[in-house]
């Protein structure tokens, strides 16, 4: 019954490395999102995509990029990882216009940059 | 810019007592979501509120939405230990294309 799958549960990377976080959904959702979660700050939107090859910046896009080559897959890329990118990363997907049951979240990737 | 504020950020509850979490937001929206998160886990959808005056209940939790006041409440009736978790409200901006979250409320029920 898995609907939104994030490829890694835990990752440890070195400063300066290029990091890929992968997210796959099987619900045929048009919209996909990447959030980061930090204590006391809630979830903050990094990037979202409303269609294949389309992307829009969220509230905190600096230091990140994304790729959506297929409808079901949305990748978050840290071009040169830094310690301040240590965080929990959550992927989500939804139909447009808030249809259906809203947003479905993946299980999260806890990234540590050392 | 849409801002979403939750309060309190931490709530220590006694069993069998009632409590309320408040979620205020700054711009017009009529779609609000409540999520629960257990430690180390992802977000579980609790309620989707889609119109002014919407009220939904599930077990000991009841959520309501007042779009004119830009306020949603999550009411907990007769708290039990199983409700210990972090609860987030989130407001849908631009109709399904951007969800903005509150900071979360950490609930702990004392036995």
């Amino acid at each position: 019954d898995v609907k939104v799958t994030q490829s890694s549960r835990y990752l440890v990377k070195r400063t300066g490395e290029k990091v890929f976080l992968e997210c796959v959904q099987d619900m045929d959702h048009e919209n996909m999102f990447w959030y980061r979660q930090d204590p006391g700050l809630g979830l903050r939107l990094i990037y979202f995509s409303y269609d294949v090859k389309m992307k829009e910046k969220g509230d905190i896009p600096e230091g990140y990029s994304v790729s959506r080559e297929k409808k079901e897959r949305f990748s978050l890329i840290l071009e040169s990882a830094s310690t301040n990118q240590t965080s929990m990363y959550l992927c989500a997907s939804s139909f447009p216009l808030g249809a259906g049951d809203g947003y479905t979240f993946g299980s999260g990737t806890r990234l540590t940059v050392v | 810019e849409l801002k979403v504020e939750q309060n309190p950020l931490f709530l220590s509850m006694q069993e069998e007592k009632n409590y309320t979490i408040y979620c205020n937001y700054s711009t017009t929206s009529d779609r609000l979501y409540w999520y629960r998160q257990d430690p180390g886990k992802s977000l579980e959808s609790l309620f989707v509120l889609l119109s002014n005056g919407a009220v939904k209940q599930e077990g000991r939790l009841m959520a309501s939405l007042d779009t004119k006041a830009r306020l949603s409440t999550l009411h907990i009736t007769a708290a039990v230990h199983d409700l210990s978790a972090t609860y987030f409200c989130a407001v849908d901006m631009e109709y399904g294309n951007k969800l903005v979250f509150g900071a979360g409320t950490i609930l702990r029920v004392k036995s």
Side-chain angles (χ1 to χ4, degrees), chain A residues 12-28:
Chain A
V12 180
K13 297 292 182 180
R14 295 192 180 278
T15 301
E17 276 193 77
K18 190 169 186 176
V19 181
F20 293 85
L21 303 183
E22 305 287 347
C23 176
V24 177
Q25 52 96 3
D26 63 1
M27 294 168 289
D28 204 31

Side-chain angles (χ1 to χ4, degrees), chain B residues 21-80:
Chain B
I21 302 171
Y22 298 89
C23 176
N24 290 89
Y25 54 97
S26 60
T27 64
T28 302
S29 174
D30 58 2
R31 294 172 181 269
L32 190 138
Y33 305 81
W34 284 97
Y35 291 90
R36 169 183 170 140
Q37 186 179 39
D38 292 294
K41 301 288 181 65
S42 188
L43 277 74
E44 173 192 353
S45 179
L46 292 175
F47 299 109
V48 180
L49 302 170
L50 299 178
S51 61
N52 186 39
V55 177
K56 291 197 175 179
Q57 183 162 5
E58 180 77 31
R60 299 173 188 270
L61 301 178
M62 183 174 72
S64 65
L65 177 62
D66 181 344
T67 58
K68 293 178 182 175
R70 298 178 186 169
L71 171 69
S72 179
T73 60
L74 180 66
H75 188 71
I76 299 147
T77 301
V80 292

